[in-house]
Amino acid sequence: MSGNADGLSFPTSLGTSTADEIRLLGQNLTADLMGRVSFGELAFWLVALRRPSPSETRVFEAVLVALADHGFTPTAIAARLTYLSAPDSLQGALAAGLLGGGSRFLGVTEDCGLYLHEVLQRHQASGGTLPADEDGWDALALAAVQRTRADKRFVPGLGHPVHKVCDPRTPALLEIAEQEGLRGPHLRLFEAIGRVHEQVLGRRLPLNGAGVCGAALADLGLPVELLRGFALLARAAGLLGQIAEERRRPIGMDAYLTIDRNAVYVNPDEP
Amino acid sequence: MSGNADGLSFPTSLGTSTADEIRLLGQNLTADLMGRVSFGELAFWLVALRRPSPSETRVFEAVLVALADHGFTPTAIAARLTYLSAPDSLQGALAAGLLGGGSRFLGVTEDCGLYLHEVLQRHQASGGTLPADEDGWDALALAAVQRTRADKRFVPGLGHPVHKVCDPRTPALLEIAEQEGLRGPHLRLFEAIGRVHEQVLGRRLPLNGAGVCGAALADLGLPVELLRGFALLARAAGLLGQIAEERRRPIGMDAYLTIDRNAVYVNPDEP
Amino acid sequence: MSGNADGLSFPTSLGTSTADEIRLLGQNLTADLMGRVSFGELAFWLVALRRPSPSETRVFEAVLVALADHGFTPTAIAARLTYLSAPDSLQGALAAGLLGGGSRFLGVTEDCGLYLHEVLQRHQASGGTLPADEDGWDALALAAVQRTRADKRFVPGLGHPVHKVCDPRTPALLEIAEQEGLRGPHLRLFEAIGRVHEQVLGRRLPLNGAGVCGAALADLGLPVELLRGFALLARAAGLLGQIAEERRRPIGMDAYLTIDRNAVYVNPDEP
Amino acid sequence: MSGNADGLSFPTSLGTSTADEIRLLGQNLTADLMGRVSFGELAFWLVALRRPSPSETRVFEAVLVALADHGFTPTAIAARLTYLSAPDSLQGALAAGLLGGGSRFLGVTEDCGLYLHEVLQRHQASGGTLPADEDGWDALALAAVQRTRADKRFVPGLGHPVHKVCDPRTPALLEIAEQEGLRGPHLRLFEAIGRVHEQVLGRRLPLNGAGVCGAALADLGLPVELLRGFALLARAAGLLGQIAEERRRPIGMDAYLTIDRNAVYVNPDEP
């Protein structure tokens, strides 16, 4: 720690201000950003430290839109029940909902982006170049799925409890990425996994929406360790919608009573 | 509760899905929303249940951009320290940061929107029509500030620890709202408060950025009880930026050690 | 800020340590506290800055025991759903459960302690002495309930959705406090409210358990603004029990699916 | 789901109530628990589904006392900053503090208990019996440390930034466990690791307090996957103490300003 009067120094490139100017990311907040960049652009910029192109923005915002709300998920219910209990603290209800954004429900986006990233890194670290055609991608995908299977791990991004044949977000996002010239190696590898996994796993599973979002975010060059953060940001908007609806047409009390009134007492000594 | 097989029914107008379609807000997610609406538009729509116009979107996203990050605020530091302690749980760090979004630092946006809304409602409830000119707004503002002072309450949205003369976000947002034809009654009343409060309070304070954002959101017709939610959404993006920077150029450990190493033990019996 | 080398100084009377000693509250942690004070005693001490007597400890721990778990409350369900979604983050599930500890469900303890405290303070500030007999307490209680009614506010601690006639925790805690010589002015006033409120409100409501806990904590001299904190501490233990049971005999997935499968889509345009 | 009128059934052995009785863990809350079991006993019982013996209670509460507060840790600072920002939401400040209870700072208790548990399980699964003397424990510990080193993983529970030679909590807790006849296999293995690790790691590290607490909790038969939960419960009491002190003698604003005023702006393009 060094740099000023009392020897303390905390570096940052984000927000800072003087009496008459506010700077953010090296820009003048009021002259360069407000009214000029969309909220999605700013969110991208805050993490990537560069302004996304219009094409990147379109893909990025399509991902956020895809992940914002999935109805009565555990996180949405948790947020509504917390709002029911503590309506004076909107931030608490929102935080409670986001805390469900862990490994099982919201983590697929990050897990999938990370998985694809590692496969590509390993391929390139061993001297491989990116495949030039579909057959090349299929070969790379097949080796990856086989290795993952051999390690007794799961391939992330496969399967969905409701969309058992095709998750409609997957072709939709692929098309948007194609239109914008952003169907990059992560998305191509993900598509190839969709084509080849049946050979290894013995059954055909759909490429799910959370997974394709992770692949698209990775193709945008966003840090794979932080992809969960974008799923959480998207979900923050969805949770606001859930809380707004809870005020307008509440279900929290009914949901709580449904559980509580159907409680069945089990002796603690029973196995 | 009624409506289906076992008598339970939980109504919602947000997300729902069948095997091959996902609907959100009555729209087809993949055909109508992804790639077609910005993330900011969707966030507005989720709460207001209507798609904002392009002008409304521009004002709304300018507000989110204005509120996203203010540097090393208590909430940013809390998020970074939580990430330092529990790097495996990005959602926890984000939630910890948002939990500071309460009455003191992030609440001004909501408090200000609510205050202006109540002044306007009371005026209209007593038969008043909206003022037609600046003098009319000044009279309404003066009466409101006087009443608030008499109640020994604070007028929200006035004053800023750094921007002591003028908060640059205030004229910037007013200009954007004016360009878009959205300088409505809440903003006009807020501006009038800026002109008249000195007569009552005895000193001139700037209209702060959090306050003008609350006024602009209220003019967009968003529910005033939920304005804090938009400040939290904006902050979620800012906190992602803070966490990304904490990975890239950490300050959490230094911040913690600065506090800990300068702890001075006080006997608990001392007053 | 002043006091040492670089001018920073953060005072504390809680934990501190040197290379071979840990101090807490001015005590030697290992020699004076571990194995010598109960966890409940320490929790009291940490807030009140004094060690409670054995009698105080018994009343205090009885309160914590009374408040620990109430079955499938909204907070318990929120914690279980969060654990379902993010099983890798126990702290997130616990935090999500505690975030429901707000005004509506867990806040009664604090509200009631604060209410009784204010009635007593007002009485003493206007020169009154504490009543010497039941009639005196009844008169004080009657005036308080009448004033609260006139202000169109609720008297906290009255009524319970399940225990409509008598909340069994109320006589139980009163008896423990009586045994320990700790049935002080807050409890006596609360009992008097139980006797007189029907005269004002027109119907007889039970004194509820959350309320009597608040009165007992206030009689222990704990700061009334922090009583909610003890309800939260008690609930933290209960939530651990809920999460342990969720691992052993899960209901989270069933609870979630019960809500989700009984979702009924309502057109967003419907009122 | 089955069992009653509308086919729903949510089993539980924790809290339940009728109009005039509250049951918890198969006990009558008011007749059997309040005033009869300490808060620590109840917390143990809620997870283990059995009442601890007085000896177990003494060890268990000593662990909670040891873990409650360590001064200005990142979690304590996060709780104080959140309280500064949102003083209306005590639950939010407490939750923010607990969210730092992850892998790095509070996780050692769980990691260590789990590690010792796995070593013992592997030993017994391969037909080994528990060692009868110190030499036997040393051999078991040596093999475990060597294997962990070979896997390039860390042995949890070793080392401390302040207590570089001896963490005073370790001998203190061992002594209490010995007094109560509860120095079981996890503690003995942990002690053996303390004796032999230098042979493998090349330097002598102290057995830290978080680690010895994990070993003691595992010896009490508590589920190793939930040990972090007890660290969090202990910390909940410590955080209440921090928040109470923040009200009495605040440091949050100074801490925040110390960071903010020593911010040094770095151009985002710099590496």
Side-chain angles (χ1 to χ4, degrees), chain A residues 23-87:
Chain A
R23 296 192 72 79
L24 179 59
L25 295 159
Q27 310 297 308
N28 183 316
L29 175 71
T30 53
D32 303 331
L33 301 177
M34 284 172 65
R36 284 176 171 71
V37 303
S38 76
F39 180 54
E41 275 179 282
L42 183 72
F44 185 112
W45 196 339
L46 278 160
V47 173
L49 292 193
R50 65 178 181 86
R51 182 174 185 174
S53 71
S55 285
E56 288 173 323
T57 300
R58 184 159 174 254
V59 172
F60 180 66
E61 299 214 28
V63 167
L64 295 183
V65 166
L67 295 175
D69 184 75
H70 299 157
F72 289 134
T73 54
T75 62
I77 303 169
R80 285 182 180 242
L81 290 172
T82 305
Y83 191 70
L84 170 70
S85 294

Side-chain angles (χ1 to χ4, degrees), chain D residues 2-77:
Chain D
S2 67
N4 67 4
D6 50 8
L8 295 173
S9 159
F10 300 102
T12 183
S13 303
L14 303 179
T16 186
S17 58
T18 60
D20 51 12
E21 196 189 48
I22 301 175
R23 296 192 72 79
L24 179 59
L25 295 159
Q27 310 296 308
N28 182 314
L29 174 72
T30 54
D32 302 332
L33 300 177
M34 285 171 64
R36 283 176 172 72
V37 303
S38 76
F39 180 54
E41 276 178 282
L42 183 71
F44 185 111
W45 197 338
L46 278 161
V47 173
L49 292 193
R50 66 181 180 83
R51 182 174 184 174
S53 71
S55 285
E56 288 173 323
T57 301
R58 184 160 175 255
V59 172
F60 180 66
E61 300 214 27
V63 168
L64 296 182
V65 166
L67 296 175
D69 183 75
H70 299 157
F72 289 133
T73 54
T75 62
I77 303 169

Side-chain angles (χ1 to χ4, degrees), chain A residues 1 8-22 24 29-30 33-40 42-43 46-49 58 61-66 68-72 80 83 88-92 94-96 98-103 110 162-169 172-173 176 223 225-230 232-238 240-245 247-251 254-255 257-258, chain B residues 1 8-22 24 29-30 33-40 42-43 46-49 58 61-66 68-72 80 83 88-92 94-96 98-103 110 162-169 172-173 176 223 225-230 232-238 240-245 247-251 254-255 257-258:
Chain A
M1 293 186 291
L8 296 172
S9 159
F10 301 102
T12 183
S13 303
L14 304 179
T16 187
S17 57
T18 60
D20 51 13
E21 194 190 49
I22 300 175
L24 179 59
L29 175 71
T30 53
L33 301 177
M34 284 172 65
R36 284 176 171 71
V37 303
S38 76
F39 180 54
L42 183 72
L46 278 160
V47 173
L49 292 193
R58 184 159 174 254
E61 299 214 28
V63 167
L64 295 183
V65 166
D69 184 75
H70 299 157
F72 289 134
R80 285 182 180 242
Y83 191 70
D88 46 314
S89 172
L90 181 60
Q91 70 271 25
L94 187 61
L98 292 176
L99 287 170
S103 56
E110 180 166 298
V162 174
H163 311 298
K164 291 181 194 294
V165 177
C166 174
D167 185 326
R169 292 167 295 185
L173 192 59
I176 293 168
E225 303 83 1
L226 289 175
L227 298 188
R228 183 186 300 190
F230 297 108
L232 291 165
L233 176 63
R235 189 50 55 97
L240 274 191
Q242 293 281 340
I243 294 168
E245 187 171 88
R247 289 177 59 91
R248 208 167 50 231
R249 204 188 286 270
I251 64 102
D254 266 5
L257 292 174
T258 296
Chain B
M1 294 185 290
L8 295 172
S9 159
F10 300 102
T12 183
S13 304
L14 303 180
T16 187
S17 58
T18 61
D20 51 13
E21 195 189 50
I22 301 174
L24 179 60
L29 175 72
T30 53
L33 301 177
M34 285 171 64
R36 283 176 172 73
V37 303
S38 76
F39 180 55
L42 184 71
L46 278 160
V47 173
L49 293 192
R58 182 159 176 255
E61 300 213 29
V63 167
L64 296 182
V65 166
D69 184 75
H70 298 157
F72 290 133
R80 287 181 179 242
Y83 191 71
D88 47 314
S89 173
L90 182 60
Q91 71 270 23
L94 187 59
L98 292 176
L99 287 170
S103 55
E110 181 166 297
V162 173
H163 310 299
K164 291 181 193 296
V165 176
C166 174
D167 186 326
R169 293 168 294 185
L173 192 59
I176 293 168
E225 302 82 2
L226 290 175
L227 297 189
R228 184 187 300 191
F230 296 107
L232 291 165
L233 175 63
R235 189 51 54 97
L240 274 190
Q242 292 282 339
I243 294 169
E245 187 170 88
R247 290 177 59 89
R248 208 167 49 232
R249 206 189 284 271
I251 64 102
D254 266 5
L257 292 174
T258 296

Side-chain angles (χ1 to χ4, degrees), chain B residues 61-118:
Chain B
E61 300 213 29
V63 167
L64 296 182
V65 166
L67 296 175
D69 184 75
H70 298 157
F72 290 133
T73 54
T75 63
I77 303 169
R80 287 181 179 242
L81 289 172
T82 305
Y83 191 71
L84 170 71
S85 294
D88 47 314
S89 173
L90 182 60
Q91 71 270 23
L94 187 59
L98 292 176
L99 287 170
S103 55
R104 204 179 302 186
F105 279 75
L106 270 188
V108 175
T109 297
E110 181 166 297
D111 292 345
C112 190
L114 203 52
Y115 177 82
L116 299 170
H117 184 73
E118 286 171 356

Side-chain angles (χ1 to χ4, degrees), chain B residues 255-266, chain C residues 2-4 6-17, chain D residues 70-73 77 80 242 245 251:
Chain B
Y256 148 53
L257 292 174
T258 296
I259 313 301
D260 189 49
R261 292 197 177 148
N262 291 291
V264 172
Y265 203 75
V266 179
Chain C
S2 67
N4 68 4
D6 49 7
L8 295 172
S9 160
F10 300 102
T12 182
S13 303
L14 303 180
T16 186
S17 58
Chain D
H70 299 157
F72 289 133
T73 54
I77 303 169
R80 286 182 181 242
Q242 293 282 338
E245 188 171 86
I251 64 102

Side-chain angles (χ1 to χ4, degrees), chain A residues 72-234:
Chain A
F72 289 134
T73 54
T75 62
I77 303 169
R80 285 182 180 242
L81 290 172
T82 305
Y83 191 70
L84 170 70
S85 294
D88 46 314
S89 172
L90 181 60
Q91 70 271 25
L94 187 61
L98 292 176
L99 287 170
S103 56
R104 204 180 299 185
F105 280 76
L106 270 190
V108 175
T109 297
E110 180 166 298
D111 292 346
C112 191
L114 203 51
Y115 177 82
L116 300 170
H117 184 72
E118 286 171 356
V119 171
L120 291 170
Q121 274 206 319
R122 176 196 281 249
H123 178 65
Q124 294 181 293
S126 65
T129 52
L130 290 182
D133 56 19
E134 212 167 83
D135 285 351
W137 285 109
D138 285 2
L140 182 57
L142 189 63
V145 174
Q146 283 168 334
R147 198 166 51 234
T148 307
R149 178 68 179 272
D151 291 350
K152 296 189 172 137
R153 291 167 54 220
F154 286 100
V155 179
L158 288 177
H160 193 280
V162 174
H163 311 298
K164 291 181 194 294
V165 177
C166 174
D167 185 326
R169 292 167 295 185
T170 305
L173 192 59
L174 284 166
E175 191 188 331
I176 293 168
E178 176 67 23
Q179 287 167 359
E180 304 298 336
L182 288 164
R183 203 160 134 241
H186 298 86
L187 281 169
R188 287 182 197 276
L189 177 58
F190 192 55
E191 289 178 86
I193 288 174
R195 289 189 297 267
V196 306
H197 72 272
E198 193 175 1
Q199 297 173 43
V200 184
L201 307 182
R203 59 186 181 132
R204 185 164 194 77
L205 294 163
L207 295 172
N208 62 42
V212 76
C213 287
L217 293 174
D219 269 345
L220 291 171
L222 294 162
V224 286
E225 303 83 1
L226 289 175
L227 298 188
R228 183 186 300 190
F230 297 108
L232 291 165
L233 176 63

